[in-house]
Amino acid sequence: MTGFRRVASLHSAGDLRDHLARLGVSLPFRILETGEVDPLAQPCEVGGGVTVGNRFCIQPMEGWDGTTEGAPSDLTRRRWERFGRSGAKLIWGGEAVAVSPEGRANPHQLLIDEARVADLERLRRALVEAHEQAFGRSDDLLVGLQLTHSGRFARPHAQDRPEPVILYHHPLLDRRVGIAAGHPVLDDAGVERLVRRFVDAAGLAHQAGFAFVDVKHCHGYLGHEFLSARSRPGRYGGSFENRTRFLREVVAGIRARVPSLAIGIRLSSFDTVPFRAGPRGEGEPEEAARPYTCAFGADPDQPLQPQMEEPAGLLALLESLGIRLVNLTAGSPYYNPHVQRPALFPPSDGYVPPEDPLVGVARQIAQTAALKRRFPGLVVVGSAYSYLQEWLPAVARGVLEEGGADLIGLGRMALSYPELPADVLAGRPLERARLCRTFSDCTTAPRNGLVSGCYPLDAFYKARPEAATLVAAKERAAARADA
Ligand SMILES: Cc1cc2nc3c(=O)[nH]c(=O)nc-3n(C[C@H](O)[C@H](O)[C@H](O)COP(=O)(O)O)c2cc1C
Ligand code: SF4
């Protein structure tokens, strides 16, 4: 598959250091001596007099397993209960929940409206109760809800039927999603309606007991697309002020409606051009005319390089709006997955990683650290730690110690081995057989219309009928790649 050295084979700190040096990247890491205070166990003050009990955060992760009406299913509840039992004290959003039916990324995405608010309250309670059963308290647990509109990647009715809502015509992504030149662009009145939907959704999230909402601005979805809408005319495109107007209006609306609800932003702090499989299946960037202005946080003349000024401008704006909770991620799972979720094995619609996945991990950690240092007053969650596997706790401690983030976000690792935080904090050895090895089945499954889950390592999913369909889908993808 790939010639990259497996993380599991890096047995000592020296192995890791040498390997990173060969890759030309650096990652902070710190091995805890017996009796030392664990930085991961330290409480974190997140604003408004609220303190979360430790430095682990569970990242939002959809399961493509809600009902067609957008309510949680038993599978959704199982995932949220496992998040609750993880031991992490910050739950960033649970998963992306659509604020309107046409904004769903798939026909099984959760939806927030009057009809489903009680279901979402029960879902949150299930998580909190699971946490209380495992740890005896929840007064230091903070649970938010991620609000989204899927924009360009909306598929509300059928997995194989994109129904994109776009803010501007994109020189490369339009073709990918099958958007014709005449496809309508959401007009300003439509944006204003959506602002109201986000504000209504925040009111409902508050009613359901969530402590904060994340107004999602990452991964190519609608909030993120505003940030790169340079070619859009009118009030919501062009200048930085216009491209952030949607965000400012949503924040102002939420503040007016539910002043006690905290607001967080999950941001792709950099993006790059779309990648595709090259002749030998390896990921390669699509050719893009320069300056390339469609990637927020990338250098327009060298769009493979992240830059700092744009995300720093956005974080300064958040600070001026009194928003402290920030979760930094990067890129998009649809058009540059190796940037967004570094993995050894690509998803079925992906490509062989064009770089050692540790390079992708280091890129996100470095950008997050640079931004955190520039904005020490923000509470910053870092992303893309799962590929670190055995080295996750040591790197997490190194990042915290160097002030490169306030909380360590766990995505895929929380699907394969949700109790990792509890084990680390209790000083128990890691269960190596449960470490996420980035097989990408949790991404491949939904790409093939199946519910998401950790099919290789979670016995519950391994035993489900979808497992066989997934194997067949992967074989088809492998045959296509070989052809
Ligand atoms: C199956 C799956 C579903 C995801 N769903 C969401 C989501 O709903 N919202 C979001 O912001 N990120 C989502 N992500 C991205 C993760 O939150 C995280 O940023 C990414 O997996 C990288 O972190 P990791 O290396 O710890 O997995 C998802 C990732 C996976 C694998
Ligand atoms: S399917 Fe499991 S092992 Fe594979 S990437 Fe997802 S969580 Fe990790």
Side-chain angles (χ1 to χ4, degrees):
M1 165 66 59
T2 63
F4 302 125
R5 184 162 176 190
R6 300 286 200 270
V7 170
S9 75
L10 303 171
H11 298 297
S12 67
D15 287 349
L16 178 62
R17 206 174 285 117
D18 292 348
H19 185 54
L20 292 173
R22 269 193 297 276
L23 295 176
V25 295
S26 68
L27 278 172
F29 65 93
R30 157 85 192 287
I31 294 160
L32 208 62
E33 303 293 333
T34 321
E36 264 188 310
V37 175
D38 190 345
L40 285 162
Q42 299 313 300
C44 183
E45 198 274 310
V46 296
V50 177
T51 297
V52 298
N54 60 46
R55 300 304 177 117
F56 279 113
C57 166
I58 301 299
Q59 300 284 27
M61 267 177 303
E62 279 174 80
W64 288 258
D65 52 15
T67 66
T68 44
E69 289 76 37
S73 67
D74 289 346
L75 290 178
T76 323
R77 270 183 292 280
R78 177 183 187 267
R79 188 172 53 260
W80 281 56
E81 283 167 3
R82 281 158 63 93
F83 290 171
R85 279 197 293 274
S86 69
K89 291 289 185 180
L90 178 59
I91 307 294
W92 189 287
E95 63 191 272
V97 175
V99 300
S100 58
E102 84 290 349
R104 293 166 88 190
N106 67 81
H108 293 279
Q109 185 169 40
L110 299 189
L111 179 66
I112 182 161
D113 60 10
E114 293 280 354
R116 272 149 283 261
V117 69
D119 291 322
L120 288 169
E121 178 171 11
R122 276 192 291 275
L123 187 62
R124 181 190 61 77
R125 275 184 197 216
L127 183 155
V128 173
E129 280 163 17
H131 186 85
E132 284 171 353
Q133 271 167 20
F135 306 102
R137 61 187 283 196
S138 61
D139 57 322
D140 56 353
L141 171 74
L142 196 71
V143 186
L145 190 69
Q146 185 176 58
L147 302 180
T148 192
H149 184 293
S150 303
R152 183 175 290 274
F153 298 103
R155 292 173 185 233
H157 295 105
Q159 183 62 31
D160 56 0
R161 190 180 352 135
E163 297 178 47
V165 176
I166 57 169
L167 299 173
Y168 64 94
H169 280 283
H170 189 292
L172 301 172
L173 290 179
D174 277 13
R175 197 176 53 237
R176 271 203 191 194
V177 191
I179 296 173
H183 189 91
V185 166
L186 184 68
D187 62 15
D188 285 2
V191 174
E192 284 159 18
R193 277 194 299 277
L194 265 180
V195 170
R196 289 195 290 276
R197 280 304 310 143
F198 270 84
V199 174
D200 290 347
L204 294 170
H206 179 64
Q207 209 176 305
F210 290 93
F212 70 95
V213 287
D214 165 21
V215 184
K216 185 174 186 177
H217 272 69
C218 59
H219 303 165
Y221 296 109
L222 192 95
H224 189 205
E225 185 155 311
F226 274 108
L227 301 180
S228 62
R230 288 187 181 76
S231 62
R232 182 186 170 96
R235 299 177 67 237
Y236 295 98
S239 66
F240 180 78
E241 200 197 342
N242 283 354
R243 286 181 281 126
T244 54
R245 188 181 305 282
F246 168 78
L247 170 59
R248 286 183 284 114
E249 289 183 349
V250 170
V251 169
I254 296 175
R255 290 267 162 75
R257 177 81 59 90
V258 263
S260 63
L261 183 70
I263 300 174
I265 304 290
R266 190 157 203 225
L267 170 71
S268 280
S269 76
F270 60 93
D271 197 1
T272 184
V273 295
F275 274 60
R276 63 178 169 211
R280 294 201 319 282
E282 259 157 48
E284 58 177 34
E286 279 199 42
E287 272 166 41
R290 310 289 155 90
Y292 182 74
T293 56
C294 301
F296 179 80
D299 179 340
D301 296 317
Q302 290 178 291
L304 297 179
Q305 297 299 322
Q307 58 98 294
M308 284 283 291
E309 290 321 304
E310 280 205 310
L314 194 85
L315 296 193
L317 172 66
L318 296 184
E319 232 174 16
S320 74
L321 294 173
I323 293 174
R324 284 190 70 204
L325 280 171
V326 176
N327 187 329
L328 298 180
T329 168
S332 164
Y334 295 103
Y335 54 83
N336 45 36
H338 74 286
V339 171
Q340 198 258 346
R341 50 185 79 155
L344 199 55
F345 303 93
S348 60
D349 63 343
Y351 43 77
V352 175
E355 62 187 9
D356 187 306
L358 278 178
V359 175
V361 173
R363 191 185 294 118
Q364 283 206 42
I365 287 181
Q367 173 91 342
T368 299
L371 289 167
K372 168 66 196 172
R373 288 192 192 108
R374 212 149 141 182
F375 295 91
L378 295 179
V379 177
V380 173
V381 181
S383 303
Y385 282 80
S386 290
Y387 185 73
L388 291 162
Q389 304 161 57
E390 281 85 349
W391 288 98
L392 193 158
V395 173
R397 289 180 182 119
V399 169
L400 291 176
E401 207 165 60
E402 291 193 358
D406 297 291
L407 290 119
I408 305 301
L410 301 185
R412 291 160 294 179
M413 193 63 84
L415 299 179
S416 71
Y417 181 10
E419 301 85 358
L420 179 136
D423 285 349
V424 168
L425 294 169
R428 291 187 284 268
L430 293 179
E431 288 186 49
R432 295 188 66 201
R434 298 179 70 200
L435 289 174
C436 167
R437 299 297 183 187
T438 65
F439 295 121
S440 288
D441 286 17
C442 51
T443 306
T444 292
R447 297 284 191 265
N448 289 278
L450 307 173
V451 297
S452 176
C454 182
Y455 290 85
L457 302 180
D458 180 346
F460 176 85
Y461 280 93
K462 214 184 253 183
R464 287 180 62 84
E466 286 93 341
T469 320
L470 184 59
V471 170
K474 287 201 296 185
E475 281 168 1
R476 277 198 306 278
R480 268 200 309 277
D482 286 346

